[in-house]
Structure formats: structure tokens, C-alpha cells
Amino acid sequence: MTDNKIATVELGNGGPQIGVQGLGCMGMSEFYGDTDESAARETLETALAAGVTLFDTADVYGLGANEEFLAPFVGAHRDEITLATKFAIERKDDDPHYRGVRNDPAYIRQAVEDSLRRLNTDVIDLYYMHRRDPAVPLAESVGAMAELVRQGKVKQLGLSEVTGTELREAYAVHPIAALQSEWSLFSRDVERSAVPAAVELGVTVVPYSPLGRGFLTGAFTDAAKDLSKGDFRRFQPRFTGDNAKANAALLEPVHKIAAAHGVSAAQVALAWVQQRAQVHGLTVVPIPGTRRSSRLLENVAATRLTLTDQELALLEPIAGRVAGDRYPDMSSTSAARE
């Protein structure tokens, strides 16, 4: 590690060395209101300069627009980055509220071709199943993904929002490099079975929304009042009304610890996630999303912040007291299948 770059870790078993923090690119195209494209592109370059090398997207973000947005950056830095994208969530142009889940092999084969075209690359470094469809045998889905590895279209495989049992079942078909699930001070259901399985198998855990979709940073206190109409957080149960009020009160120890270290609440929340690596004995690479270079630099600085045992103890009870679910419909999450 150089003075100006973050530490690196191995992705999965025998994978590439990647920065210990990645970048979630979803918000650069959709979901969090309007985006300044030039600022977002500057953020990508700032991230790489800081040692962030795992860049995460999905075919569903902006109906493919996020992959297309990333393509020039990918082309300019192909040998320097680890590119991750996902399949499985199906949307419709004529129905903005529709969300389907498809894991069938024919869909997977078409999805990877579409992603490769939009990203303008001949190989995807890490290809995730974004959500699990229990109606399709996992062996069929992972088997189709494994074939993509054999064909040279994909280098490593990942799963998102799966249980420990599902992770073990998938790994028996083909090695899984990464498990991506929501993990933060507010969301810890991944610890029930998935984290122990990841430890056992040597799977890297990639926490998404490690900042509680911005709520842990104090950027907003009530989504319905503070965020634009195009922001999907307005529809997440824990961020509005009485739930938001109750959850904001849970952040007192976060702010207290931040003040003691002279850092931001976001950095404390990220440091907590980063330290799950030591707590559980596995590799953890969170992917906080941001569209601003200044926020990116603040986030990566959290990789150098170590919380004391006493501070971790103060933060420990928070998740158990959070009001409201992660999504309005939890049926596609691993928690629904535990």
C-alpha cells in the first residue's frame, strides 16, 4: 500500500487483489434523483487514484444505462479495475413499477451478452446473480454461470441476497468469489447464516448500502420530506414517518464517536463495516455509492479508522432497534428465505 492508496485484499480464493473498499455506481444513473454526469465521471477517476478498484454496476440500473455510462471508464482503465455487474432483476419499459426475477439459464446467457455489449468489453470480472428465484434450481442457474466462466466471458462468480444454505449449495457447483448483501449498522440479517458460510468457504463479502442509503450519514432525517420525488428512498419503510424519527434517535452514539475522532458519522459507519472483517474473520469489501469526489475521499479515509472495543460495544445494539424493513417488499431478500 502506498501512502495515498487504500490497502488491498484478495477477491475470493485466488482472485485478483482489489482495494479494500469498492464503489457502488448505481446512483450515478438512477434512484437517487438527478445526476451531474461530469461530476460522476470525475468521481470514478478519483476513486481509482485512491486505490478503489472494484466498480459495481448491474443491468437493471437505469435499464442498462449505468453499464453504458461506465463503458468509457472501463475502456480507459480495463487492466486497472475489477468490473462487477449483475443479472436477474427484470424490468419493463412500459411499467416503471414492475420488478421480476429470472434465473433461468436462457435468460442468463442473453443477459451476459447484453451486459458485455453495453460495457463494451469482452469479459466481466465478477458476475453476480442479483436476486434468487427459488422456482429455478440453484444448480441450473449456477451451472449456466459456470459455463460463462468456461467460455471466457466471465472470470469469477458472485451471488447477492442469498442464505448460507444457498451459498453452500451454489459453491458445490462452482466456486463463488463474492457474496453481496446489505450490511450496515442498520442491517445485520446477513450475519444469521450467510456470513458464517462465507467464512467457511473463503467467500469475500461485499456489503451494499453500508451507509444505510445515506441515512447513517445524517444527510436526511425523513425521506418523504427531505428527498426529491424521484428518490426511491421515499418508499422504504425505515426512512419515513415515525420509523424515521425513531431511527434517527439511534444515531446518537454514531455522532458521539465521530466527534471523539474528529471524523464524520459516515466514516464511523463505514469503519464499523470494514471492521466486520476482523470480527468475523473474513474478507469484507463494502461498496458505498457516491457521485461526488469529495464524498468518495471521505469514504476511503474510513478504511484507516479503527474503532475501539468500547466504541464497537456502543454501536452493537443499533441494528436490533431499527424500525421498519429494508424494503417495502422483502420477498426477494435472503431474510425472507431464512
Side-chain angles (χ1 to χ4, degrees):
M1 184 180 82
T2 61
D3 289 342
N4 62 341
K5 290 194 174 185
I6 60 175
T8 62
V9 291
E10 185 177 83
L11 177 60
N13 290 309
Q17 289 288 313
I18 60 173
V20 74
Q21 186 179 114
L23 179 62
C25 300
M26 179 182 79
M28 293 180 175
S29 296
E30 193 182 16
F31 300 109
Y32 292 110
D34 295 336
T35 295
D36 181 332
E37 183 173 320
S38 63
R41 293 199 179 282
E42 179 185 341
T43 300
L44 294 173
E45 298 290 345
T46 300
L48 185 58
V52 173
T53 55
L54 178 64
F55 292 84
D56 183 272
T57 183
D59 60 3
V60 71
Y61 302 157
L63 291 166
N66 196 242
E67 291 180 327
E68 293 173 344
F69 167 80
L70 283 176
F73 175 76
V74 171
H77 302 287
R78 192 66 193 90
D79 295 336
E80 303 169 79
I81 69 171
T82 296
L83 175 64
T85 192
K86 317 177 195 73
F87 74 89
I89 300 179
E90 188 178 39
R91 296 172 66 179
K92 295 180 178 179
D93 290 326
D94 58 354
D95 183 356
H97 301 293
Y98 176 81
R99 296 290 187 276
V101 177
R102 288 190 61 180
N103 292 171
D104 56 282
Y107 182 82
I108 294 170
R109 288 190 289 269
Q110 184 60 54
V112 75
E113 296 297 339
D114 292 341
S115 286
L116 287 168
R117 173 179 49 79
R118 287 188 292 259
L119 289 161
N120 194 27
T121 188
D122 57 1
V123 64
I124 294 164
D125 299 313
L126 177 60
Y127 198 44
Y128 287 102
M129 178 190 295
H130 206 165
R131 291 292 185 271
R132 168 94 171 94
D133 178 6
V136 179
L138 196 54
E140 289 186 15
S141 304
V142 179
M145 296 169 72
E147 182 60 29
L148 302 179
V149 176
R150 288 189 286 272
Q151 292 171 354
K153 296 175 181 179
V154 170
K155 291 184 179 179
Q156 290 183 289
L157 303 183
L159 301 174
S160 181
E161 289 284 353
V162 296
T163 66
T165 298
E166 290 167 338
L167 181 57
R168 290 186 181 92
E169 182 182 348
Y171 203 99
V173 176
H174 188 280
I176 303 298
L179 164 69
Q180 185 174 139
S181 286
E182 187 165 353
W183 201 3
S184 73
L185 283 169
F186 267 23
S187 301
R188 297 180 61 177
D189 47 279
V190 68
E191 296 174 23
R192 292 176 197 164
S193 69
V195 165
V199 172
E200 173 189 320
L201 299 168
V203 174
T204 295
V205 177
V206 180
Y208 74 81
S209 298
L211 294 173
R213 304 193 187 278
F215 193 85
L216 289 166
T217 72
F220 68 98
T221 56
D222 188 320
K225 296 177 181 178
D226 301 337
L227 303 179
S228 66
K229 290 185 179 180
D231 197 307
F232 87 123
R233 291 171 291 183
R234 290 166 58 94
F235 305 100
Q236 292 188 296
R238 58 180 53 168
F239 299 145
T240 57
D242 290 341
N243 285 349
K245 184 176 181 180
N247 292 336
L250 297 176
L251 299 180
E252 182 180 353
V254 179
H255 294 296
K256 180 180 178 180
I257 294 168
H261 284 273
V263 300
S264 68
Q267 288 171 313
V268 171
L270 278 174
W272 181 91
V273 177
Q274 297 279 179
Q275 282 183 243
R276 298 304 91 193
Q278 288 74 45
V279 171
H280 294 278
L282 79 169
T283 302
V284 177
V285 182
I287 49 168
T290 184
R291 298 172 288 187
R292 292 187 290 167
S293 290
S294 59
R295 190 69 72 191
L296 184 284
L297 293 173
E298 177 184 334
N299 289 347
V300 297
T303 66
R304 303 180 180 98
L305 173 63
T306 300
L307 304 178
T308 68
D309 290 343
Q310 291 81 5
E311 289 166 341
L312 293 174
L314 286 174
L315 300 172
E316 183 65 24
I318 291 176
R321 298 172 181 170
V322 172
D325 284 331
R326 294 194 278 131
Y327 295 100
D329 179 0
M330 290 284 287
S331 62
S332 291
T333 68
S334 58
R337 300 189 304 278
E338 290 283 4

